[in-house]
Amino acid sequence: MELLRNPIRPYAWGSHTAIAAVQGRRIPTEGPEAELWMGAHPGDPSTVEDGRTLIDVIAEDPERVLGAANVQRFGVRLPFLLKVLAAEAPLSIQAHPDAAQARAGFDDEESEGVPVDATVRNYVDPFHKPELLCAVSEYECLCGFRDPAESAELLSRLNVSALAGTVDLLRQDDPSQALREAVTTVMTVPETLRGPLLDQVVAECAQLAGEGPGGATYAMAASLGKAYPGDIGVLLALLLNHVILQPGEAIYMPAGNAHAYLRGVGVELMAASDNVLRGGLTAKHVDVPELLRVLRYESLAEPRVVAVQVAPGVREWQTPMPEFRLSHASVGGLRDKVVLRNGGPRILLCWSGQVRLDDGVQPLTLLPGQAAFVAADAADSVVATGFGELFQASTA
């Protein structure tokens, strides 16, 4: 078991308190701290105590560290990336490609000679990025398309004549066609018309914000309009499910689902990729044609994933993805030890308390905000004792 040192990404939307508070550092921090990365992604890999990156550790003995089956299936790479996401302001509305789209898009941009760090680059690696987010505070987010008939009703209450055509599109009998045509119409509004249209939309949303039908969603859109004036993402947000997660609730975002995280602190686990196609609420590159090609035009009736109890003190959120599985363990009180089982590589993140972990090779005690890596050749089970809670990221 190796103690990890993990980089923090200072994106502008990040919190000045959340990650530092968990780690016991002084708050507020000088700059925003948005994402704590734990893994072996080339963009910002974790390091072990002797200074080697987790990429180096894996490369020295892939089958020992990852397990032969994982090397055969995913290659010489840790297939998941664990993050703490601390959003003080909204992230961009975005979607991620599926595996085939990611490989084709990456190969195309490589052949065209687009630098991997170019601001106009869509595909920075050849992998997909399905993701799971578990809230550890109240977490507000936009998750997948709402039923188009419901979106039509929501937009029809706005006294904005320019939206009449979009409302009609959303009321078509074929839901997929309704979403495809309505989203395309929204995302291709000419730049010269966007400002006046969005001014009307935001003003109407502010009028309807409150306790009535859709009041919380209208309030959300009005708030986004103040933060991102003239951004078409404000209108796109009205077509998405508006969800407020409570601590312990989780959402799963498969490829092609439009989503945005608006505020809160959560633990996120994903396939190890950084491919993002943005649709708004951002000053970064937005490639509308590519986004429209990648999006899945289907409503997501329930984005939440319910945790399953898998052992005493241990629950996990299961998804169809073989690359990752997120578990949560509570240690202490009536339960003096908790056993976490998994035969592959894993990262353990202590969220609270003081937890001693024993993998049968090298025991380690973690404090809040600290994480450890366990190689595949360790025991199938890690025994946790002490008092607190922790998350385990592993292959499925």
Side-chain angles (χ1 to χ4, degrees), residues 124-136:
V124 297
D125 58 59
F127 305 108
H128 66 166
K129 192 191 175 192
E131 57 193 35
L132 177 83
L133 175 80
C134 176
V136 293

Side-chain angles (χ1 to χ4, degrees), residues 93 142-146 151 217 236-242 258-260:
I93 295 179
L142 301 170
C143 315
F145 289 119
R146 185 188 292 108
S151 293
T217 298
L236 182 61
L238 289 168
L239 306 183
L240 303 176
N241 291 305
H242 181 213
H259 61 283

Side-chain angles (χ1 to χ4, degrees), residues 190-239:
E191 291 286 346
T192 54
L193 301 180
R194 287 188 180 187
L197 170 61
L198 290 166
D199 286 347
Q200 292 182 61
V201 168
V202 171
E204 286 293 310
C205 285
Q207 288 290 324
L208 294 171
E211 298 299 323
T217 298
Y218 292 129
M220 172 272 298
S223 176
L224 291 179
K226 292 180 181 179
Y228 297 94
D231 192 313
I232 201 64
V234 175
L235 183 51
L236 182 61
L238 289 168
L239 306 183

